Amino acid sequence: MPYIPPEVIEQARQIDLLSYMKAFEPGELVRISGNNYTTRTHDSLKISNGKWMWWSQRIGGYNALDYLIKVKEYSFVEAVETLMGKAAVMPTLTVRPKQEEKPKVLLLPEKSSTTDKITEYLFGRGIDYSIIEYCISKGYIFESLPYHNLVCVGLDENGKARYAAYRATIDRRILGDCSGSDKHYSFRIADSKSNTVHLFECAIDLLSFATFAKISGRDWRQENLVSLAGVYLPKEKIEDSTTPAALVQYLKSKPHIKKIVLHLDNDNTGRRATEALKVILPDSYEVIDDPPLKGKDFNDFLCIQLGITRNKNKERSCERS
């Protein structure tokens, strides 16, 4: 493959699809309304607000480079050469200078002076009381105002909150990430010297595993437990998938880790995510698939083992804490 300097590739990525098509494929553009367009060849391909989506094929992108590769099936080199060969005669506004990425500012909800609601909620889902108290004392979880949600916090290496997810403590499942959350620093209890890390989709599953460890007589604080801050969705072609941000950051900060145990869900999404991670993680790690023996996830399994009946409701995400 010919060598292309990184700065040339970066310039190619800055060329948006709409400007490219206006300059070089104007006959393909069909205006729908305002700044929304489709194409004559593919009427399910929509272009809007700097992004494009080919709905019939379920693929999309952010720039002309993505379009040339995914829609016109150019090779990466052909696409870059096509764009940069044309960039010299394109209007200068279509090649935007890369903006410096500003650090995210995490907006945490107000803390309640009590923790009764979150303690009752977690205990009702089988989580051991001493584990709940430990997490509260460490600032890993707290109860928010005014809705008394459970908030699970992810800290960086300096103990600064960088990620937070909220979950309602009422019957309805209302959940989401707090504004400004950085998934590199997901909820975790992972400062053990053990060379093994255990991965989970969410904080509740992580706490359920810790409870299982305590029930089994093991010291759960000697385990490295990391949540992936939600469902991990690999690419359609598994080999092209990227490693979840939470895992990338953790492995970077903990070079002694040698074994990665995957405790992802038993549904199709969890199984596909597991298969993807087994493929893309470097061979230097031993990767083990260890899903819950019963139920959809580890909290299901814990509740089944403890005889707890849960009233599951359809999940609804919203942006409130």
Side-chain angles (χ1 to χ4, degrees):
M1 178 184 293
Y3 173 74
I4 304 177
E7 60 272 17
V8 174
I9 295 174
E10 184 57 37
Q11 279 188 308
R13 293 189 192 280
Q14 300 307 312
I15 301 174
D16 68 275
L17 179 56
L18 181 58
S19 296
Y20 168 81
M21 296 197 74
K22 281 182 175 179
F24 297 101
E25 297 184 30
E28 266 290 285
L29 276 178
V30 178
R31 186 176 181 182
I32 302 172
S33 65
N35 202 36
N36 300 314
Y37 293 81
T38 184
T39 67
R40 296 190 187 280
T41 303
H42 306 292
D43 59 6
S44 70
L45 193 154
K46 310 299 183 185
I47 306 170
S48 178
N49 296 321
K51 302 177 184 178
W52 63 268
M53 183 70 188
W54 193 6
W55 292 99
S56 66
Q57 303 299 314
R58 296 181 178 273
I59 59 175
Y62 294 87
N63 51 39
L65 185 64
D66 291 338
Y67 169 80
L68 291 175
I69 293 171
K70 297 177 181 180
V71 178
K72 305 200 78 171
E73 298 184 340
Y74 283 27
S75 71
F76 180 77
V77 173
E78 288 174 336
V80 173
E81 289 178 341
T82 297
L83 291 169
M84 297 316 295
K86 294 176 177 179
V89 296
M90 291 182 70
T92 55
L93 61 85
T94 62
V95 181
R96 303 183 302 274
K98 185 177 180 181
Q99 295 182 348
E100 190 173 324
E101 188 173 336
K102 295 180 180 179
K104 294 182 178 181
V105 178
L106 178 61
L107 300 178
L108 290 172
E110 183 181 353
K111 291 184 181 180
S112 169
S113 61
T114 66
T115 56
D116 297 348
K117 292 289 186 182
I118 64 170
T119 299
E120 179 184 3
Y121 172 74
L122 290 172
F123 193 71
R125 294 191 65 166
I127 309 304
D128 183 85
Y129 183 75
S130 65
I131 294 175
I132 299 171
E133 288 292 290
Y134 175 85
C135 290
I136 292 172
S137 69
K138 289 289 187 178
Y140 297 156
I141 63 175
F142 68 87
E143 186 171 316
S144 72
L145 291 175
Y147 301 108
H148 297 279
N149 290 338
L150 165 67
V151 180
C152 299
V153 181
L155 309 176
D156 64 15
E157 294 82 0
N158 299 315
K160 180 181 178 181
R162 300 286 297 276
Y163 170 86
Y166 63 86
R167 179 184 287 264
T169 54
I170 57 177
D171 289 339
R172 289 183 300 170
R173 295 187 65 203
I174 303 171
L175 66 163
D177 290 346
C178 293
S179 178
S181 285
D182 185 343
K183 289 182 182 292
H184 287 85
Y185 300 94
S186 60
F187 178 80
R188 65 193 63 180
I189 305 173
D191 291 323
S192 166
K193 294 182 180 179
S194 168
N195 67 355
T196 300
V197 60
H198 298 266
L199 295 184
F200 309 86
E201 286 187 15
C202 67
I204 297 293
D205 290 339
L206 183 158
L207 296 173
S208 299
F209 182 88
T211 299
F212 266 119
K214 188 171 186 294
I215 291 173
S216 302
R218 304 197 312 272
D219 185 354
W220 59 274
R221 286 169 296 186
Q222 297 305 310
E223 308 280 6
N224 291 310
L225 311 177
V226 174
S227 77
L228 295 180
V231 177
Y232 167 60
L233 297 174
K235 302 275 185 163
E236 185 173 348
K237 187 177 179 182
I238 285 180
E239 294 80 3
D240 294 337
S241 302
T242 55
T243 306
L247 182 56
V248 170
Q249 182 65 33
Y250 183 74
L251 294 177
K252 180 181 177 181
S253 66
K254 305 289 183 179
H256 68 281
I257 295 296
K258 302 298 180 186
K259 183 187 297 185
I260 302 172
V261 186
L262 308 175
H263 302 287
L264 306 186
D265 289 2
N266 270 327
D267 57 10
N268 291 334
T269 302
R271 294 298 86 214
R272 180 168 172 76
T274 297
E275 289 306 309
L277 289 173
K278 288 167 66 178
V279 169
I280 66 175
L281 285 171
D283 292 338
S284 55
Y285 296 105
E286 179 184 359
V287 182
I288 298 173
D289 179 19
D290 185 24
L293 297 177
K294 297 179 182 178
K296 173 182 172 289
D297 52 42
F298 257 91
N299 188 245
D300 273 357
F301 185 28
L302 176 63
C303 289
I304 290 169
Q305 295 300 103
L306 296 178
I308 297 173
T309 302
R310 286 179 53 204
N311 179 23
K312 291 188 176 182
N313 292 278
K314 186 175 182 180
E315 180 177 319
R316 178 167 68 89
S317 296
C318 64
E319 192 69 21
R320 76 176 198 181
S321 295

